[in-house]
Amino acid sequence: MRKYYVQFDWGQKRLGFATATQAVQMPAAPVHVPLSKRELSFEETVEAVNKGMQKWEARLGKDDPVVIDDYMNAQYYGEIGVGTPAQKEMVIFDTGSSNLWVPNTRPFLTSHNIYDHSKSSTYKKNGTTFAIQYGSGPVSGVFSADTVTIGDLQLKDYTFAEVDKTSGLGLGYRLGKFDGILGLGWDSISVGGVPTPMNALVKSGQLPEPVFAFYLGNNQPGELVFGGVDPKHYTGDFSFVPLSSESYWEIKLDGVKLGSDSVSSTKSAIVDSGTSLLAGPKSEIAAIATKLGAKSILGKDGTWWTAVPSCLISPSPWAARTLP
């Protein structure tokens, strides 16, 4: 997504792609949320890809809409507030899921921000069990309701999850700088059927347009805009693609090429801001690996390293990540 400025059009159910740039003008109305970036070490990247493979096997091999991304390889996160007064939480803004969750317990020897509902004057108990199954394990807690603040936007009495078990996120969560996840997917994949954050924002009437847009900086902070797009981050016009499913942000895939060669017959794809992995059928990524001359990494079957271009790839089912 760093090459393109991506507009997620909730109102017209479509995705827009424009060439990312570094112009200087700023829009007036939309709400801007800065996104920070944490670079992974080589060892963390390898571990993240291997964990990510498990997640993709779960997603592509089942119809269970609860299985979502393993965030060991997530790098972009931004600040929100939960409660009154607002308690700071750093979250991944994830188009591959549809719930907001934040931790109420800090894992041993970590510095994560936690949500303490006893310190909020607007907290309302729910108590219904919340559980998500990641490829690497479960994440669970209970639903609660409180005021959620995103930039200048505020959702009152919003139902989210406070989580006390995060083992499913593995080492990446313990080392990471994000505390929770704010899902930007559609209602059909919302755990518990609770309103999604974007659904709630649109219905609140606070957004100038039912749109959000990502700019992911290259070795610098990125930006997420709610309610419009930011002209300083793109050039030219948007090319729009209609959604093929209101679950993940799923679109029709015309093809995948490596140079001039077609390397995929897959007909659909999702645009997922919560992961930097590319996933697809095992046979297709195996063919890509062969064309790139990729070599086995750390003796791991199904995970390779290649220097031109610099990337990690795996066919289980398959994943690729461009490295710095």
Side-chain angles (χ1 to χ4, degrees), residues 178-206:
F178 70 96
D179 306 307
I181 294 170
L182 190 150
L184 292 169
W186 294 82
D187 294 57
S188 64
I189 60 170
S190 172
V191 175
V194 303
T196 66
M198 189 61 184
N199 188 340
L201 286 172
V202 171
K203 288 185 176 180
S204 74
Q206 298 177 74

